[in-house]
Amino acid sequence: ATVSVLYWWQSNMDIPVAAKEGDTEFRKAERYWKIRNGNCPSTDDILQRGKDGMTVVKIGDIDGGYFIPGLLSQSEQIQLATECLCEYPDPIYLHDSNLPPEKRKSKTASDPAHTILHDKTLRWVTTGYHYNWSDKTYDRSKYSKMPNLIQDIAHRKTNMLIEKNLLPKVPVSYQTAIINYYNTKSTLMGHTDTYESELVMNRPLLSISLGRSAVFLLGGITKDTPPTPILLQSGDGVMLIGKARYCFHGLPLILPSCPDYLTSVIPHIKDHRINLSIRQVFLDSESDDEKSDTDKQLIKRIRKSDED
């Protein structure tokens, strides 16, 4: 099942959302989902977790986009969120915090009794091969060990879904995890992760949500394709493989809901959303094979869409 219908009015006021002249379909969706006057549109009619337990739902019309509601159990969410807040902001990993390590220690989790290292200046942490945000490349010479918990969850969940024939059988060796930290007002504009360094676009990219719920948009190769909105709740996953890796995606809205089983253990997370983006960035061999002609054509279309 897929959901691709957006209702282009504010549900709380029943008036049209003002789209600006020249807006792409993706930009219209971003405007629609932004909070206006302290209210947000209803999420009742968008793709979201059902009552049937974990399953896999194809997203939109592009091959390789999958929504996996309930990917992580409650205990797995607690364990992973605790490490994201208490361990991964450590200086052994690459991060963007402006504060020195001794000042990043702030609040204490009630159970387990770990010190929260996350602070309001921290936006991202990279484990595995480090990502250079300036030139959008990964560096083989800069590496910090991928945490065992992330490796275990990513490979175990991927293999389980493949064994159940819920995902295509694709080899993967997860090498990098980027952990993004969102506050209540954070947004992520529509973009693609298609860079020259991404040499393995036919391998899965696994995204895991923790903490506050959010509306996620997955569109097409250009911003002219209307995106599919998805309600991501804590423990949900999204997997992009092949062509879906080239699609525009974004996060226009963080919602106030955060599960009690998380906030009761880690009160700090009630005002945050954490996203882990786990991927393979280099081929298994040392030689970096070039992208296919099809890949290069897709990249050109995406860059032209960005310029427009």
Side-chain angles (χ1 to χ4, degrees), residues 4-68:
S4 57
V5 176
L6 287 177
Y7 296 95
W8 294 106
W9 59 81
Q10 288 177 246
S11 59
N12 60 305
M13 298 178 67
D14 198 29
I15 60 174
V17 171
K20 294 186 177 180
E21 184 178 356
D23 274 355
T24 63
E25 292 299 316
F26 200 99
R27 187 68 182 118
K28 290 176 184 177
E30 288 177 321
R31 293 187 191 280
Y32 173 78
W33 285 108
K34 284 187 176 181
I35 293 178
R36 294 168 182 267
N37 301 321
N39 297 292
C40 68
S42 170
T43 59
D44 292 343
D45 297 311
I46 70 173
L47 193 58
Q48 60 185 283
R49 187 183 303 179
K51 299 179 180 180
D52 301 327
M54 190 181 72
T55 184
V56 174
V57 182
K58 185 177 180 294
I59 305 171
D61 298 324
I62 299 293
D63 290 339
Y66 302 96
F67 170 45
I68 316 166

Short mmCIF file of all heavy atoms in Angstrom, two decimals, residues 4-68:
data_model
loop_
_atom_site.label_atom_id
_atom_site.label_comp_id
_atom_site.label_asym_id
_atom_site.label_seq_id
_atom_site.Cartn_x
_atom_site.Cartn_y
_atom_site.Cartn_z
N SER A 4 -0.22 8.75 -1.32
CA SER A 4 0.44 9.86 -1.99
C SER A 4 -0.46 11.08 -2.11
O SER A 4 -0.18 12.00 -2.84
CB SER A 4 0.89 9.43 -3.39
OG SER A 4 -0.21 8.96 -4.14
N VAL A 5 -1.58 11.08 -1.39
CA VAL A 5 -2.53 12.18 -1.48
C VAL A 5 -2.28 13.17 -0.35
O VAL A 5 -2.16 12.81 0.80
CB VAL A 5 -3.98 11.67 -1.38
CG1 VAL A 5 -4.95 12.85 -1.38
CG2 VAL A 5 -4.29 10.74 -2.54
N LEU A 6 -2.15 14.44 -0.69
CA LEU A 6 -2.05 15.50 0.30
C LEU A 6 -3.29 16.38 0.20
O LEU A 6 -3.77 16.66 -0.89
CB LEU A 6 -0.80 16.36 0.05
CG LEU A 6 0.53 15.74 0.40
CD1 LEU A 6 1.65 16.70 0.01
CD2 LEU A 6 0.62 15.44 1.88
N TYR A 7 -3.79 16.80 1.33
CA TYR A 7 -4.94 17.70 1.33
C TYR A 7 -4.40 19.11 1.47
O TYR A 7 -3.87 19.49 2.51
CB TYR A 7 -5.86 17.35 2.51
CG TYR A 7 -6.45 15.98 2.36
CD1 TYR A 7 -5.85 14.88 2.97
CD2 TYR A 7 -7.58 15.78 1.58
CE1 TYR A 7 -6.39 13.61 2.83
CE2 TYR A 7 -8.12 14.51 1.43
CZ TYR A 7 -7.52 13.43 2.06
OH TYR A 7 -8.05 12.18 1.91
N TRP A 8 -4.55 19.89 0.41
CA TRP A 8 -3.89 21.19 0.37
C TRP A 8 -4.71 22.29 1.04
O TRP A 8 -5.13 23.25 0.44
CB TRP A 8 -3.56 21.56 -1.07
CG TRP A 8 -2.55 20.64 -1.61
CD1 TRP A 8 -2.72 19.62 -2.51
CD2 TRP A 8 -1.18 20.58 -1.26
NE1 TRP A 8 -1.55 18.95 -2.73
CE2 TRP A 8 -0.59 19.53 -1.98
CE3 TRP A 8 -0.38 21.32 -0.40
CZ2 TRP A 8 0.76 19.20 -1.86
CZ3 TRP A 8 0.96 21.00 -0.29
CH2 TRP A 8 1.50 19.95 -1.01
N TRP A 9 -5.01 22.10 2.33
CA TRP A 9 -5.57 23.17 3.12
C TRP A 9 -5.17 22.94 4.57
O TRP A 9 -4.77 21.85 4.96
CB TRP A 9 -7.08 23.24 2.99
CG TRP A 9 -7.80 21.99 3.41
CD1 TRP A 9 -8.11 21.62 4.68
CD2 TRP A 9 -8.29 20.96 2.56
NE1 TRP A 9 -8.76 20.42 4.68
CE2 TRP A 9 -8.89 19.98 3.38
CE3 TRP A 9 -8.29 20.76 1.18
CZ2 TRP A 9 -9.47 18.82 2.88
CZ3 TRP A 9 -8.87 19.61 0.69
CH2 TRP A 9 -9.46 18.66 1.53
N GLN A 10 -5.25 23.97 5.34
CA GLN A 10 -4.97 23.82 6.76
C GLN A 10 -6.18 23.19 7.43
O GLN A 10 -7.27 23.73 7.41
CB GLN A 10 -4.69 25.18 7.40
CG GLN A 10 -3.34 25.78 7.00
CD GLN A 10 -3.16 27.14 7.61
OE1 GLN A 10 -3.10 28.10 6.91
NE2 GLN A 10 -3.10 27.22 8.93
N SER A 11 -5.97 22.04 8.04
CA SER A 11 -7.10 21.33 8.60
C SER A 11 -7.76 22.11 9.73
O SER A 11 -8.95 21.99 9.96
CB SER A 11 -6.66 19.95 9.10
OG SER A 11 -5.65 20.09 10.09
N ASN A 12 -6.97 22.91 10.46
CA ASN A 12 -7.54 23.60 11.61
C ASN A 12 -8.29 24.87 11.20
O ASN A 12 -9.09 25.39 11.95
CB ASN A 12 -6.43 23.97 12.60
CG ASN A 12 -5.38 24.89 11.97
OD1 ASN A 12 -4.82 24.54 10.95
ND2 ASN A 12 -5.14 26.04 12.58
N MET A 13 -8.04 25.37 9.99
CA MET A 13 -8.68 26.62 9.56
C MET A 13 -9.48 26.45 8.28
O MET A 13 -10.26 27.32 7.91
CB MET A 13 -7.62 27.71 9.37
CG MET A 13 -6.87 28.05 10.66
SD MET A 13 -5.59 29.30 10.41
CE MET A 13 -6.59 30.73 10.04
N ASP A 14 -9.25 25.32 7.59
CA ASP A 14 -10.00 25.02 6.37
C ASP A 14 -9.86 26.12 5.32
O ASP A 14 -10.82 26.51 4.67
CB ASP A 14 -11.48 24.78 6.67
CG ASP A 14 -12.17 24.04 5.52
OD1 ASP A 14 -11.48 23.28 4.84
OD2 ASP A 14 -13.38 24.24 5.34
N ILE A 15 -8.65 26.64 5.18
CA ILE A 15 -8.38 27.63 4.13
C ILE A 15 -7.16 27.17 3.36
O ILE A 15 -6.33 26.41 3.86
CB ILE A 15 -8.13 29.04 4.71
CG1 ILE A 15 -6.92 29.01 5.65
CG2 ILE A 15 -9.36 29.56 5.43
CD1 ILE A 15 -6.52 30.39 6.13
N PRO A 16 -7.05 27.59 2.08
CA PRO A 16 -5.92 27.13 1.28
C PRO A 16 -4.58 27.57 1.86
O PRO A 16 -4.45 28.66 2.41
CB PRO A 16 -6.17 27.80 -0.08
CG PRO A 16 -7.62 28.13 -0.08
CD PRO A 16 -7.97 28.44 1.34
N VAL A 17 -3.59 26.70 1.73
CA VAL A 17 -2.23 27.07 2.09
C VAL A 17 -1.64 27.87 0.93
O VAL A 17 -1.74 27.47 -0.23
CB VAL A 17 -1.37 25.80 2.35
CG1 VAL A 17 0.10 26.18 2.49
CG2 VAL A 17 -1.88 25.09 3.59
N ALA A 18 -1.05 29.00 1.24
CA ALA A 18 -0.53 29.88 0.19
C ALA A 18 0.75 29.30 -0.38
O ALA A 18 1.76 29.19 0.31
CB ALA A 18 -0.29 31.27 0.76
N ALA A 19 0.71 28.90 -1.64
CA ALA A 19 1.91 28.47 -2.35
C ALA A 19 2.41 29.64 -3.18
O ALA A 19 1.62 30.39 -3.75
CB ALA A 19 1.61 27.28 -3.25
N LYS A 20 3.72 29.81 -3.22
CA LYS A 20 4.29 30.92 -3.97
C LYS A 20 4.48 30.54 -5.43
O LYS A 20 4.69 29.37 -5.76
CB LYS A 20 5.62 31.33 -3.34
CG LYS A 20 5.47 31.92 -1.94
CD LYS A 20 6.79 32.43 -1.42
CE LYS A 20 6.63 33.07 -0.06
NZ LYS A 20 7.91 33.59 0.47
N GLU A 21 4.41 31.53 -6.29
CA GLU A 21 4.59 31.29 -7.71
C GLU A 21 5.96 30.68 -7.96
O GLU A 21 6.97 31.14 -7.44
CB GLU A 21 4.47 32.61 -8.48
CG GLU A 21 4.55 32.44 -9.98
CD GLU A 21 4.37 33.75 -10.73
OE1 GLU A 21 4.10 34.77 -10.04
OE2 GLU A 21 4.49 33.75 -11.96
N GLY A 22 5.98 29.61 -8.74
CA GLY A 22 7.23 28.94 -9.05
C GLY A 22 7.60 27.83 -8.09
O GLY A 22 8.61 27.15 -8.30
N ASP A 23 6.81 27.63 -7.04
CA ASP A 23 7.09 26.54 -6.10
C ASP A 23 7.03 25.20 -6.81
O ASP A 23 6.11 24.92 -7.57
CB ASP A 23 6.06 26.54 -4.96
CG ASP A 23 6.44 27.45 -3.82
OD1 ASP A 23 7.55 28.02 -3.86
OD2 ASP A 23 5.62 27.61 -2.89
N THR A 24 7.99 24.35 -6.52
CA THR A 24 7.92 22.97 -7.00
C THR A 24 6.92 22.20 -6.15
O THR A 24 6.47 22.67 -5.09
CB THR A 24 9.30 22.29 -6.89
OG1 THR A 24 9.67 22.24 -5.50
CG2 THR A 24 10.35 23.05 -7.68
N GLU A 25 6.56 21.01 -6.60
CA GLU A 25 5.64 20.18 -5.82
C GLU A 25 6.23 19.85 -4.46
O GLU A 25 5.51 19.78 -3.46
CB GLU A 25 5.33 18.89 -6.59
CG GLU A 25 4.53 19.11 -7.86
CD GLU A 25 3.17 19.74 -7.57
OE1 GLU A 25 2.51 19.30 -6.62
OE2 GLU A 25 2.80 20.67 -8.30
N PHE A 26 7.54 19.64 -4.41
CA PHE A 26 8.17 19.32 -3.12
C PHE A 26 8.09 20.52 -2.18
O PHE A 26 7.79 20.38 -0.99
CB PHE A 26 9.62 18.90 -3.32
CG PHE A 26 10.19 18.12 -2.17
CD1 PHE A 26 10.27 16.74 -2.21
CD2 PHE A 26 10.62 18.77 -1.02
CE1 PHE A 26 10.75 16.03 -1.13
CE2 PHE A 26 11.12 18.06 0.07
CZ PHE A 26 11.19 16.68 0.01
N ARG A 27 8.34 21.72 -2.73
CA ARG A 27 8.30 22.92 -1.89
C ARG A 27 6.88 23.18 -1.39
O ARG A 27 6.69 23.64 -0.24
CB ARG A 27 8.80 24.12 -2.69
CG ARG A 27 8.94 25.38 -1.84
CD ARG A 27 10.07 25.22 -0.84
NE ARG A 27 10.19 26.41 0.02
CZ ARG A 27 10.03 26.40 1.32
NH1 ARG A 27 9.74 25.27 1.96
NH2 ARG A 27 10.19 27.50 2.03
N LYS A 28 5.89 22.91 -2.21
CA LYS A 28 4.50 23.07 -1.76
C LYS A 28 4.24 22.18 -0.54
O LYS A 28 3.58 22.60 0.42
CB LYS A 28 3.54 22.71 -2.88
CG LYS A 28 3.51 23.68 -4.04
CD LYS A 28 2.58 23.16 -5.12
CE LYS A 28 2.60 24.06 -6.35
NZ LYS A 28 1.75 23.52 -7.44
N ALA A 29 4.73 20.94 -0.61
CA ALA A 29 4.52 20.01 0.51
C ALA A 29 5.23 20.50 1.76
O ALA A 29 4.70 20.41 2.87
CB ALA A 29 5.02 18.62 0.12
N GLU A 30 6.44 21.04 1.59
CA GLU A 30 7.17 21.57 2.75
C GLU A 30 6.39 22.70 3.41
O GLU A 30 6.28 22.76 4.64
CB GLU A 30 8.54 22.06 2.32
CG GLU A 30 9.51 20.94 1.97
CD GLU A 30 10.83 21.47 1.46
OE1 GLU A 30 10.84 22.47 0.71
OE2 GLU A 30 11.88 20.88 1.82
N ARG A 31 5.85 23.60 2.59
CA ARG A 31 5.07 24.72 3.15
C ARG A 31 3.83 24.20 3.88
O ARG A 31 3.45 24.70 4.94
CB ARG A 31 4.66 25.68 2.05
CG ARG A 31 5.80 26.45 1.40
CD ARG A 31 5.25 27.50 0.45
NE ARG A 31 6.27 28.07 -0.39
CZ ARG A 31 7.13 29.02 0.01
NH1 ARG A 31 7.06 29.48 1.25
NH2 ARG A 31 8.04 29.49 -0.82
N TYR A 32 3.20 23.21 3.29
CA TYR A 32 1.97 22.68 3.88
C TYR A 32 2.20 22.12 5.28
O TYR A 32 1.40 22.34 6.20
CB TYR A 32 1.40 21.59 2.98
CG TYR A 32 0.21 20.87 3.60
CD1 TYR A 32 -1.05 21.46 3.59
CD2 TYR A 32 0.36 19.62 4.19
CE1 TYR A 32 -2.13 20.81 4.16
CE2 TYR A 32 -0.72 18.97 4.76
CZ TYR A 32 -1.96 19.58 4.75
OH TYR A 32 -3.01 18.93 5.32
N TRP A 33 3.32 21.41 5.45
CA TRP A 33 3.53 20.71 6.71
C TRP A 33 4.17 21.56 7.80
O TRP A 33 4.34 21.09 8.92
CB TRP A 33 4.34 19.45 6.47
CG TRP A 33 3.52 18.38 5.83
CD1 TRP A 33 3.60 17.93 4.55
CD2 TRP A 33 2.46 17.65 6.45
NE1 TRP A 33 2.65 16.97 4.31
CE2 TRP A 33 1.93 16.77 5.47
CE3 TRP A 33 1.88 17.65 7.72
CZ2 TRP A 33 0.88 15.92 5.74
CZ3 TRP A 33 0.83 16.80 7.97
CH2 TRP A 33 0.34 15.94 7.00
N LYS A 34 4.54 22.78 7.48
CA LYS A 34 5.08 23.63 8.52
C LYS A 34 3.97 24.09 9.46
O LYS A 34 2.85 24.35 9.05
CB LYS A 34 5.78 24.85 7.91
CG LYS A 34 7.14 24.52 7.33
CD LYS A 34 7.85 25.79 6.89
CE LYS A 34 9.25 25.47 6.40
NZ LYS A 34 9.98 26.69 5.98
N ILE A 35 4.31 24.21 10.73
CA ILE A 35 3.33 24.67 11.71
C ILE A 35 2.97 26.12 11.43
O ILE A 35 3.83 26.95 11.19
CB ILE A 35 3.89 24.54 13.14
CG1 ILE A 35 4.06 23.05 13.50
CG2 ILE A 35 3.00 25.24 14.14
CD1 ILE A 35 4.65 22.83 14.87
N ARG A 36 1.67 26.42 11.47
CA ARG A 36 1.20 27.78 11.29
C ARG A 36 0.31 28.17 12.47
O ARG A 36 -0.60 27.44 12.83
CB ARG A 36 0.40 27.91 9.98
CG ARG A 36 1.25 27.69 8.73
CD ARG A 36 0.35 27.55 7.51
NE ARG A 36 1.16 27.28 6.33
CZ ARG A 36 1.60 28.22 5.50
NH1 ARG A 36 1.36 29.48 5.76
NH2 ARG A 36 2.32 27.91 4.45
N ASN A 37 0.62 29.31 13.07
CA ASN A 37 -0.17 29.82 14.20
C ASN A 37 -0.25 28.81 15.33
O ASN A 37 -1.29 28.69 15.99
CB ASN A 37 -1.58 30.21 13.73
CG ASN A 37 -1.55 31.27 12.65
OD1 ASN A 37 -0.74 32.18 12.71
ND2 ASN A 37 -2.41 31.13 11.65
N GLY A 38 0.83 28.07 15.54
CA GLY A 38 0.85 27.12 16.64
C GLY A 38 0.12 25.83 16.37
O GLY A 38 0.02 24.97 17.23
N ASN A 39 -0.43 25.66 15.17
CA ASN A 39 -1.15 24.45 14.81
C ASN A 39 -0.48 23.75 13.64
O ASN A 39 0.29 24.36 12.89
CB ASN A 39 -2.60 24.77 14.44
CG ASN A 39 -3.36 25.37 15.60
OD1 ASN A 39 -3.63 24.70 16.57
ND2 ASN A 39 -3.68 26.65 15.49
N CYS A 40 -0.76 22.50 13.46
CA CYS A 40 -0.22 21.78 12.32
C CYS A 40 -1.34 20.98 11.66
O CYS A 40 -2.35 20.66 12.29
CB CYS A 40 0.92 20.85 12.74
SG CYS A 40 0.42 19.46 13.75
N PRO A 41 -1.17 20.63 10.39
CA PRO A 41 -2.19 19.84 9.70
C PRO A 41 -2.36 18.47 10.35
O PRO A 41 -1.47 17.96 11.03
CB PRO A 41 -1.63 19.71 8.28
CG PRO A 41 -0.65 20.83 8.15
CD PRO A 41 -0.07 21.00 9.51
N SER A 42 -3.50 17.86 10.11
CA SER A 42 -3.75 16.52 10.64
C SER A 42 -2.85 15.49 9.93
O SER A 42 -2.62 15.58 8.72
CB SER A 42 -5.21 16.14 10.42
OG SER A 42 -5.43 14.78 10.71
N THR A 43 -2.37 14.53 10.69
CA THR A 43 -1.56 13.45 10.11
C THR A 43 -2.37 12.17 9.96
O THR A 43 -1.81 11.10 9.69
CB THR A 43 -0.33 13.17 11.00
OG1 THR A 43 -0.78 12.80 12.32
CG2 THR A 43 0.57 14.38 11.09
N ASP A 44 -3.69 12.25 10.11
CA ASP A 44 -4.52 11.05 10.09
C ASP A 44 -4.49 10.32 8.76
O ASP A 44 -4.63 9.10 8.70
CB ASP A 44 -5.98 11.40 10.43
CG ASP A 44 -6.15 11.84 11.87
OD1 ASP A 44 -5.23 11.59 12.68
OD2 ASP A 44 -7.18 12.47 12.18
N ASP A 45 -4.31 11.06 7.67
CA ASP A 45 -4.48 10.47 6.34
C ASP A 45 -3.15 10.22 5.62
O ASP A 45 -3.14 10.06 4.41
CB ASP A 45 -5.35 11.38 5.47
CG ASP A 45 -6.75 11.53 6.04
OD1 ASP A 45 -7.36 10.49 6.37
OD2 ASP A 45 -7.23 12.66 6.17
N ILE A 46 -2.06 10.19 6.36
CA ILE A 46 -0.78 9.94 5.70
C ILE A 46 -0.23 8.58 6.11
O ILE A 46 -0.70 7.94 7.05
CB ILE A 46 0.25 11.05 5.96
CG1 ILE A 46 0.73 11.04 7.42
CG2 ILE A 46 -0.32 12.41 5.61
CD1 ILE A 46 1.86 12.01 7.68
N LEU A 47 0.76 8.13 5.39
CA LEU A 47 1.36 6.82 5.62
C LEU A 47 1.94 6.76 7.03
O LEU A 47 2.74 7.61 7.42
CB LEU A 47 2.45 6.58 4.59
CG LEU A 47 3.02 5.16 4.45
CD1 LEU A 47 1.92 4.17 4.11
CD2 LEU A 47 4.10 5.15 3.38
N GLN A 48 1.52 5.77 7.81
CA GLN A 48 1.99 5.66 9.18
C GLN A 48 1.79 4.25 9.71
O GLN A 48 1.23 3.39 9.05
CB GLN A 48 1.27 6.67 10.09
CG GLN A 48 -0.24 6.49 10.13
CD GLN A 48 -0.90 7.57 10.95
OE1 GLN A 48 -0.86 7.53 12.17
NE2 GLN A 48 -1.50 8.56 10.27
N ARG A 49 2.27 4.04 10.92
CA ARG A 49 2.23 2.73 11.55
C ARG A 49 0.79 2.25 11.74
O ARG A 49 -0.07 2.98 12.21
CB ARG A 49 2.93 2.81 12.91
CG ARG A 49 3.10 1.48 13.61
CD ARG A 49 3.73 1.67 14.98
NE ARG A 49 5.01 2.37 14.89
CZ ARG A 49 5.74 2.67 15.94
NH1 ARG A 49 5.31 2.36 17.16
NH2 ARG A 49 6.91 3.29 15.79
N GLY A 50 0.56 0.99 11.36
CA GLY A 50 -0.75 0.39 11.56
C GLY A 50 -0.78 -0.45 12.82
O GLY A 50 0.07 -0.32 13.70
N LYS A 51 -1.73 -1.35 12.91
CA LYS A 51 -1.89 -2.19 14.09
C LYS A 51 -1.43 -3.62 13.85
O LYS A 51 -1.64 -4.49 14.69
CB LYS A 51 -3.36 -2.19 14.53
CG LYS A 51 -3.89 -0.81 14.89
CD LYS A 51 -5.35 -0.88 15.30
CE LYS A 51 -5.88 0.50 15.66
NZ LYS A 51 -7.32 0.47 16.06
N ASP A 52 -0.81 -3.86 12.71
CA ASP A 52 -0.45 -5.22 12.35
C ASP A 52 0.98 -5.61 12.71
O ASP A 52 1.49 -6.63 12.28
CB ASP A 52 -0.63 -5.43 10.83
CG ASP A 52 -2.05 -5.17 10.40
OD1 ASP A 52 -2.96 -5.44 11.21
OD2 ASP A 52 -2.26 -4.68 9.28
N GLY A 53 1.66 -4.77 13.52
CA GLY A 53 3.04 -5.07 13.86
C GLY A 53 3.97 -4.66 12.74
O GLY A 53 3.60 -3.93 11.82
N MET A 54 5.21 -5.13 12.81
CA MET A 54 6.20 -4.71 11.83
C MET A 54 5.90 -5.30 10.46
O MET A 54 5.62 -6.48 10.31
CB MET A 54 7.60 -5.15 12.26
CG MET A 54 8.71 -4.53 11.42
SD MET A 54 10.35 -5.08 11.91
CE MET A 54 10.34 -6.77 11.34
N THR A 55 5.96 -4.45 9.47
CA THR A 55 5.78 -4.87 8.10
C THR A 55 6.64 -3.97 7.24
O THR A 55 7.39 -3.15 7.76
CB THR A 55 4.30 -4.80 7.68
OG1 THR A 55 4.18 -5.32 6.36
CG2 THR A 55 3.79 -3.37 7.72
N VAL A 56 6.56 -4.08 5.94
CA VAL A 56 7.31 -3.22 5.04
C VAL A 56 6.34 -2.68 4.00
O VAL A 56 5.58 -3.44 3.39
CB VAL A 56 8.46 -3.98 4.34
CG1 VAL A 56 9.14 -3.09 3.31
CG2 VAL A 56 9.47 -4.46 5.37
N VAL A 57 6.35 -1.37 3.80
CA VAL A 57 5.44 -0.72 2.88
C VAL A 57 6.26 0.03 1.83
O VAL A 57 7.15 0.81 2.18
CB VAL A 57 4.51 0.28 3.60
CG1 VAL A 57 3.54 0.91 2.61
CG2 VAL A 57 3.75 -0.42 4.72
N LYS A 58 5.98 -0.23 0.57
CA LYS A 58 6.66 0.49 -0.50
C LYS A 58 6.18 1.94 -0.51
O LYS A 58 5.00 2.21 -0.36
CB LYS A 58 6.37 -0.17 -1.85
CG LYS A 58 7.13 0.45 -3.03
CD LYS A 58 6.84 -0.33 -4.31
CE LYS A 58 7.59 0.29 -5.48
NZ LYS A 58 7.12 1.65 -5.81
N ILE A 59 7.12 2.87 -0.70
CA ILE A 59 6.80 4.30 -0.67
C ILE A 59 6.72 4.84 -2.10
O ILE A 59 7.69 4.74 -2.86
CB ILE A 59 7.87 5.10 0.09
CG1 ILE A 59 8.07 4.53 1.50
CG2 ILE A 59 7.46 6.57 0.17
CD1 ILE A 59 9.24 5.13 2.23
N GLY A 60 5.57 5.38 -2.46
CA GLY A 60 5.43 6.05 -3.74
C GLY A 60 5.65 5.14 -4.93
O GLY A 60 5.49 3.92 -4.86
N ASP A 61 6.08 5.75 -6.05
CA ASP A 61 6.22 5.01 -7.31
C ASP A 61 7.67 4.69 -7.67
O ASP A 61 7.93 4.04 -8.67
CB ASP A 61 5.61 5.83 -8.46
CG ASP A 61 4.12 6.06 -8.25
OD1 ASP A 61 3.46 5.14 -7.72
OD2 ASP A 61 3.62 7.15 -8.59
N ILE A 62 8.63 5.18 -6.88
CA ILE A 62 10.03 4.94 -7.16
C ILE A 62 10.47 3.61 -6.55
O ILE A 62 10.22 3.35 -5.37
CB ILE A 62 10.91 6.07 -6.62
CG1 ILE A 62 10.54 7.40 -7.27
CG2 ILE A 62 12.39 5.78 -6.84
CD1 ILE A 62 10.87 7.49 -8.73
N ASP A 63 11.10 2.78 -7.33
CA ASP A 63 11.59 1.50 -6.81
C ASP A 63 12.67 1.73 -5.75
O ASP A 63 13.54 2.59 -5.91
CB ASP A 63 12.18 0.66 -7.94
CG ASP A 63 11.12 0.14 -8.89
OD1 ASP A 63 9.94 0.08 -8.48
OD2 ASP A 63 11.46 -0.18 -10.05
N GLY A 64 12.59 0.95 -4.68
CA GLY A 64 13.66 0.97 -3.68
C GLY A 64 13.39 1.82 -2.46
O GLY A 64 14.27 1.96 -1.61
N GLY A 65 12.18 2.37 -2.31
CA GLY A 65 11.84 3.14 -1.12
C GLY A 65 10.91 2.34 -0.23
O GLY A 65 9.83 1.93 -0.66
N TYR A 66 11.30 2.09 1.03
CA TYR A 66 10.52 1.23 1.93
C TYR A 66 10.36 1.89 3.29
O TYR A 66 11.31 2.40 3.88
CB TYR A 66 11.21 -0.12 2.11
CG TYR A 66 11.45 -0.87 0.82
CD1 TYR A 66 12.67 -0.77 0.16
CD2 TYR A 66 10.45 -1.63 0.24
CE1 TYR A 66 12.89 -1.44 -1.04
CE2 TYR A 66 10.65 -2.30 -0.96
CZ TYR A 66 11.88 -2.20 -1.59
OH TYR A 66 12.09 -2.86 -2.78
N PHE A 67 9.12 1.86 3.78
CA PHE A 67 8.79 2.32 5.13
C PHE A 67 8.63 1.08 6.00
O PHE A 67 7.89 0.16 5.66
CB PHE A 67 7.49 3.14 5.08
CG PHE A 67 6.91 3.47 6.43
CD1 PHE A 67 7.70 3.94 7.46
CD2 PHE A 67 5.54 3.34 6.65
CE1 PHE A 67 7.16 4.27 8.70
CE2 PHE A 67 4.98 3.66 7.87
CZ PHE A 67 5.80 4.12 8.90
N ILE A 68 9.34 1.05 7.15
CA ILE A 68 9.33 -0.12 8.03
C ILE A 68 8.85 0.30 9.41
O ILE A 68 9.66 0.60 10.31
CB ILE A 68 10.73 -0.77 8.12
CG1 ILE A 68 11.36 -0.85 6.72
CG2 ILE A 68 10.65 -2.15 8.75
CD1 ILE A 68 12.84 -1.16 6.76
#
